[in-house]
């Protein structure tokens, strides 16, 4: 979100602006909202993340129409959270694209995600139509794909687990612009309630390896030069690792969740306490870090009942704008639990192994293994060496796949 303090009264959608990051590449931002990327080629427009409601998405579309009348061809969802997905229908795109893992998370967590989001951020979702259901993708991708917008190639990649299990990033090599979703935050505190904190820094290393000249984060101000991009990535890494290490230290001392919350807050607040959404996200961030320190690899589903239990456990530490009881449940479409065992879901190690194996690996989804050239990546000597060696070994980038080829 673009608010600069935790106490600022903001009206979601106010001060809407469309900022150019590179030729054909724009970032939409507005007070109280997640960011939306806009990429314009000769054939049409690609949207990256779709806002929290159709009304907010309509504001984005209005800004787009100020600069082009080209149709919106695809909406790409970088992850499953409601604040970035529920406006997708307003764009009337031909395809909604997400990762395989994001689709699975929508199937198993999407309905609860809507209800919990209504509780956490009632102002943001105040115009959400009654009965709004999950914005499911029409097509999914396992690891990577290319989209040809007409003289502008766009690369879509899953670089490992981080903010969620299924995060995608969008890279426009011709302009050096990268859309990071909530994997990177600029002036807001990251939300880590569904995160994989141990893996997240490796995903950030892989983003840095591209050396973007501009980067749109999930919320807040875009970074518009190499130094600003590096700073945004390092700020995110610092928050994630500090949260993870502080919670781990508390678990090693056998502290309970309430004492862990107090200790982690004291650790984070001096450096990050003034950032947007710090207080709002902190209970969820600590709960996930506590679970991961206890050895729980897969984040628990956030339901209203679990949120209420967390509030009870933390007592006076949690401030909420409205209680669960004050918000009437919205009818949501029943979703079917995935039959896939959680152990079958792709981990960061699985993904890294697929990069090292290259063509011919026996793991499912080989046909979509990330394949990048020196034009896409600038190697650095002091970062994830296995990842870097894989990139240099692969040689020139193959002829890009046509739009949505090979996706599931």
């Amino acid at each position: 979100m673009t608010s600069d303090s935790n106490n600022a009264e903001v009206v979601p959608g106010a001060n809407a602006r469309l900022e150019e990051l590179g030729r054909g590449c724009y970032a939409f931002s507005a007070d109280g909202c997640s960011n939306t990327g806009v990429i314009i080629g000769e054939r049409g427009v690609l949207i990256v993340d779709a806002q929290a409601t159709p009304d907010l998405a309509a504001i984005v579309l209005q800004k787009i129409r100020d600069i082009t009348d080209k149709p919106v061809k695809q909406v790409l969802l970088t992850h499953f959270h409601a604040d970035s997905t529920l406006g997708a229908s307003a764009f009337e795109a031909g395809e909604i694209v997400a990762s395989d893992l994001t689709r699975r998370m929508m199937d198993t967590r999407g309905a609860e995600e809507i209800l919990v989001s209504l509780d956490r951020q009632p102002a943001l979702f105040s115009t959400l139509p009654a009965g709004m259901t999950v914005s499911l993708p029409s097509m999914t991708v396992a690891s990577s794909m290319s989209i040809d917008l007409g003289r502008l190639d766009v690369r879509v990649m899953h670089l490992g687990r981080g903010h969620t299990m299924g995060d995608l990033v969008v890279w426009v090599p011709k302009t050096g612009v990268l859309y990071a979703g909530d994997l990177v935050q600029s002036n807001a505190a990251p939300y880590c309630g569904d995160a994989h904190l141990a893996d997240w820094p490796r995903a950030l290393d892989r983003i840095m390896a591209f050396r973007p000249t501009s980067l749109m984060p999930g919320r807040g101000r875009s970074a518009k030069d190499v130094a600003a991009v590096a700073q945004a990535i390092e700020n995110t890494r610092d928050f994630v690792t500090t949260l993870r290490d502080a919670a781990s230290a508390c678990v090693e001392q056998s502290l309970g969740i309430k004492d862990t919350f107090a200790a982690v807050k004291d650790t984070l607040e001096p450096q990050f306490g003034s950032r947007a959404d710090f207080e709002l996200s902190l209970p969820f961030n600590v709960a996930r870090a506590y679970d991961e320190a206890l050895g729980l690899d897969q984040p628990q589903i956030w339901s209203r009942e679990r949120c209420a239990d967390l509030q009870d456990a933390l007592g006076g530490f949690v401030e909420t704008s409205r209680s669960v009881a004050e918000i009437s449940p919205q009818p949501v479409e029943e979703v079917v639990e995935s039959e896939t065992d959680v152990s079958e879901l792709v981990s960061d190690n699985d993904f890294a192994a697929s990069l090292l194996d290259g063509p011919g690996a026996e793991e499912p989804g080989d046909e979509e293994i990330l394949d990048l050239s020196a034009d896409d990546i600038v190697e650095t000597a002091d970062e994830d060496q296995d990842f870097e060696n894989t990139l240099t070994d692969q040689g020139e980038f193959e002829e890009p796949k046509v739009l949505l080829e090979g996706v599931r």
Side-chain angles (χ1 to χ4, degrees):
M1 297 182 183
T2 57
S3 56
D4 291 325
S5 72
N6 292 299
N7 299 319
E9 291 294 331
V10 297
V11 177
N15 298 314
R17 49 207 170 272
L18 194 63
E19 181 179 25
E20 186 171 15
L21 303 181
R23 187 170 183 179
C25 298
Y26 299 84
F28 172 91
S29 59
D31 293 350
C33 299
S34 296
N35 293 338
T36 292
V38 179
I39 306 174
I40 304 173
E42 289 188 354
R43 297 178 182 173
V45 180
L46 169 66
I47 299 295
V48 182
D49 288 331
Q51 293 295 315
T53 68
D55 282 354
L56 291 170
I59 298 175
V60 181
L61 196 54
Q62 182 179 8
K63 290 291 183 183
I64 294 172
R65 290 296 166 246
D66 290 340
I67 59 174
T68 183
D69 60 358
K70 291 182 170 65
V72 175
K73 293 291 189 179
Q74 301 90 22
V75 172
L76 185 136
L77 306 177
T78 62
H79 61 292
F80 79 98
H81 289 149
D83 64 334
S84 298
T85 62
L86 294 185
S89 61
F91 293 102
E92 298 183 347
E95 300 287 355
I96 299 177
V97 183
S99 70
D100 289 351
L101 296 176
T102 289
R103 171 57 195 256
R104 295 185 195 184
M105 297 184 86
M106 287 177 169
D107 287 343
T108 58
R109 300 164 185 254
E112 293 287 0
E113 164 69 12
I114 294 175
L115 298 177
V116 169
S117 296
L118 288 169
D119 292 349
R120 290 183 64 228
Q121 299 173 282
L124 179 61
F125 293 93
S126 62
T127 65
L128 192 69
M132 190 75 182
T133 58
V134 178
S135 297
L136 294 174
S138 55
M139 286 194 173
T140 64
V141 58
S143 59
S144 68
M145 61 179 273
S146 292
I147 297 175
D148 181 6
L149 289 177
R151 296 192 178 181
L152 189 63
D153 288 332
V154 178
R155 315 287 168 80
V156 178
M157 295 164 289
H158 175 55
L159 299 182
R161 305 188 305 184
H163 173 67
T164 70
M165 181 187 299
D167 299 305
L168 291 176
V169 302
V170 178
W171 170 238
V172 187
K174 187 174 182 179
T175 63
V177 177
L178 191 141
Y179 296 86
D182 280 343
L183 274 170
V184 177
Q185 296 297 348
S186 178
N187 57 311
Y191 173 73
C192 309
D194 299 293
H196 295 266
L197 299 170
D199 297 339
W200 197 330
R202 287 192 289 274
L204 296 177
D205 289 341
R206 291 161 184 168
I207 290 174
M208 271 297 294
F210 287 86
R211 296 282 182 85
T213 56
S214 295
L215 180 147
M216 187 191 82
R219 291 168 291 165
R221 295 185 295 270
S222 292
K224 297 184 67 175
D225 59 58
V226 172
V229 170
Q231 188 63 58
I233 291 172
E234 289 310 305
N235 287 344
T236 305
R237 184 198 311 276
D238 198 7
F239 184 95
V240 168
T241 56
T242 302
L243 168 66
R244 179 196 66 199
D245 294 346
S248 180
C250 291
V251 169
E252 288 179 3
Q253 299 173 45
S254 300
L255 298 184
I257 184 64
K258 184 173 182 179
D259 289 338
T260 297
F261 179 85
V264 173
K265 182 178 182 181
D266 288 345
T267 301
L268 290 172
E269 198 162 34
Q271 184 175 355
F272 304 104
S274 63
R275 296 196 174 196
D277 302 328
F278 176 79
E279 296 283 353
L280 178 67
S281 298
L282 189 61
F284 302 89
N285 291 352
V286 174
R288 173 55 192 151
Y290 188 78
D291 281 352
E292 189 168 305
L294 287 171
L296 189 65
D297 181 64
Q298 296 297 328
Q300 297 185 61
I301 295 175
W302 285 106
S303 64
R304 282 179 158 178
E305 292 73 22
R306 187 182 173 212
C307 292
D309 289 344
L310 178 62
Q311 183 171 354
D312 289 342
L314 298 184
F317 287 110
V318 178
E319 296 180 2
T320 56
S321 56
R322 291 195 289 176
S323 69
V324 171
E326 291 177 306
I327 305 177
S328 300
Q330 297 288 324
V332 294
E333 184 180 80
E334 183 178 356
V335 295
V336 179
E337 289 288 328
S338 171
E339 295 181 358
T340 304
D341 186 86
V342 74
S343 64
E344 297 175 5
L345 299 180
V346 175
S347 70
D348 183 76
N349 290 336
D350 296 329
F351 179 80
S354 75
L355 290 174
L356 293 172
D357 290 341
E362 296 180 358
E363 293 297 322
D366 296 336
E367 70 280 1
E368 296 175 2
I369 288 173
L370 185 62
D371 187 24
L372 303 172
S373 73
D375 293 335
D376 299 311
I377 296 290
V378 178
E379 293 86 3
T380 55
D382 56 351
E383 295 183 339
D384 189 345
Q385 195 60 49
D386 289 337
F387 179 71
E388 306 256 346
N389 289 341
T390 303
L391 295 171
T392 56
D393 289 344
Q394 285 176 344
E396 287 301 309
F397 190 81
E398 295 177 357
E399 188 67 23
K401 299 173 187 176
V402 298
L403 172 64
L404 303 177
E405 180 180 305
V407 298
R408 299 177 181 176

